């Protein structure tokens, strides 16, 4: 089941969609997702992942925030996080934050902020689809882009799903970053995939199925 919502954000509202499992009353874990610099919450990969999560018993909230200012995005994400905790129909005990491309940068920044201001269990983990570690081809940018990642605390699991041909996430640069992170990290490299996680010669659905399976496997590994 998918419900469209308006999440209060200052004097405005954010468009959001809540995917809920059929046995929603038993669902205790929620995953939040947001899109990259282009597009919105109806980006096909996010919709596919949201449905896969709901089918596996997770609540999934995805939302749209088109502003390209990262600080503004993080504030919007914080509003969604607060809203999710107030949903009275569910007993949400665990929240994972995630997104694709710029949306994953916002998720990481939010997780860092919450770990400074909230109890340790506030965020259960971070999901980064196509994390943009540097601007296209400029691998030396990775130190600046990875500052929030390196600041995440030890107890926080992080999953990176990146394509081996992603021109915004060089493999060597990500491996260097992971070595410097305190958080527990899993990386899934999608063979032949670009920044949009598309692979030449493969259908979009088959790629999405593979990504969704990796995400679900990782979530189940976190014991939720």
């Amino acid at each position: 089941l998918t419900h469209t919502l308006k999440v209060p954000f200052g004097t405005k509202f954010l468009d959001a969609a809540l995917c809920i499992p059929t046995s929603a009353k038993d669902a205790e874990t929620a995953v939040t997702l947001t899109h990259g610099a282009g597009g919105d919450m109806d980006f096909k990969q996010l919709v596919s992942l949201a449905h896969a999560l709901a089918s596996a018993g997770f609540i999934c909230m995805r939302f749209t925030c088109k502003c390209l200012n990262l600080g503004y995005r993080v504030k919007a994400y914080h509003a969604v996080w607060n809203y999710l905790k107030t949903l009275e129909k569910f007993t949400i005990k665990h929240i994972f934050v995630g997104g694709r491309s710029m949306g994953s940068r916002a998720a990481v920044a939010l997780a860092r902020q919450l770990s400074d201001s909230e109890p340790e269990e506030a965020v259960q983990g971070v999901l980064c689809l196509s994390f943009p570690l540097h601007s296209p081809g400029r691998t030396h940018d990775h130190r600046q882009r990875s500052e929030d990642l390196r600041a995440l605390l030890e107890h926080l699991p992080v999953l990176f799903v990146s394509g081996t041909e992603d021109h915004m996430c060089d493999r060597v640069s990500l491996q260097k970053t992971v070595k410097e992170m305190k958080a527990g990290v899993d990386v899934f490299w999608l063979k032949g995939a670009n920044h949009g996680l598309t692979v030449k010669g493969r259908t979009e659905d088959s790629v999405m199925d593979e990504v969704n399976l990796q995400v679900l496997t990782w979530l189940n590994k976190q014991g939720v």
Side-chain angles (χ1 to χ4, degrees):
L1 288 169
T2 303
H3 301 278
T4 53
L5 304 163
K6 297 277 186 190
V7 174
F9 178 43
T11 56
K12 301 175 186 167
F13 289 90
L14 299 165
D15 286 320
L18 193 66
C19 256
I20 53 176
T22 42
S23 54
K25 65 179 191 304
D26 304 325
E28 295 183 338
T29 303
V31 180
T32 50
L33 297 171
T34 192
H35 55 92
D40 55 24
M41 67 178 179
D42 291 325
F43 187 74
K44 202 171 169 187
Q45 284 168 359
L46 296 186
V47 176
S48 172
L49 179 54
H51 289 303
L53 288 164
S55 297
F58 297 98
I59 294 164
C60 183
M61 175 96 137
R62 57 187 207 280
F63 70 95
T64 296
C65 178
K66 293 195 172 189
C67 179
L68 296 184
N69 175 289
L70 187 65
Y72 185 88
R73 279 272 191 121
V74 177
K75 284 183 182 145
Y77 213 138
H78 207 151
V80 170
W81 189 80
N82 283 332
Y83 181 83
L84 196 53
K85 289 189 303 174
T86 65
L87 290 176
E88 288 171 1
K89 279 191 294 190
F90 312 107
T91 321
I92 296 172
K93 294 182 179 173
H94 315 289
I95 301 176
F96 287 81
V97 295
R100 64 154 276 111
S101 196
M102 187 186 184
S104 64
R105 281 187 75 194
V108 169
L110 175 66
R112 179 186 181 177
Q113 277 181 20
L114 291 174
S115 61
D116 289 341
S117 62
E118 301 275 343
E120 190 172 289
E121 66 279 3
V123 176
Q124 289 293 124
V126 189
L127 167 61
C128 299
L129 302 174
S130 294
F131 189 89
L133 193 57
H134 50 80
S135 47
R138 295 168 62 89
T139 54
H140 57 276
D141 290 350
H142 80 272
R143 292 292 299 170
Q144 180 214 339
R145 292 264 184 114
S146 64
E147 189 187 334
D148 286 330
L149 287 168
R150 286 181 277 122
L152 294 175
L153 300 178
E154 291 88 345
H155 70 273
L156 207 63
V158 180
L159 174 65
F160 291 100
V161 176
S162 284
T164 57
E165 308 302 315
D166 187 342
H167 64 312
M168 295 178 77
C169 189
D170 168 69
R171 205 163 176 162
V172 173
S173 303
L174 185 59
Q175 281 161 346
K176 275 184 197 162
T177 300
V178 168
K179 273 188 185 151
E180 291 178 28
M181 286 171 67
K182 300 185 286 286
V185 180
D186 286 283
V187 183
F188 173 64
W189 288 105
L190 191 61
K191 198 171 181 328
N194 60 14
H195 187 66
L197 292 182
T198 57
V199 182
K200 272 184 193 156
R202 285 187 63 181
T203 65
E204 196 175 7
D205 286 344
S206 79
V207 173
M208 286 190 294
D209 287 347
E210 188 176 353
V211 169
N212 296 349
L213 181 63
Q214 289 295 327
V215 172
L216 289 170
T217 303
W218 176 76
L219 282 169
N220 289 322
K221 203 171 91 173
Q222 308 316 319
V224 291

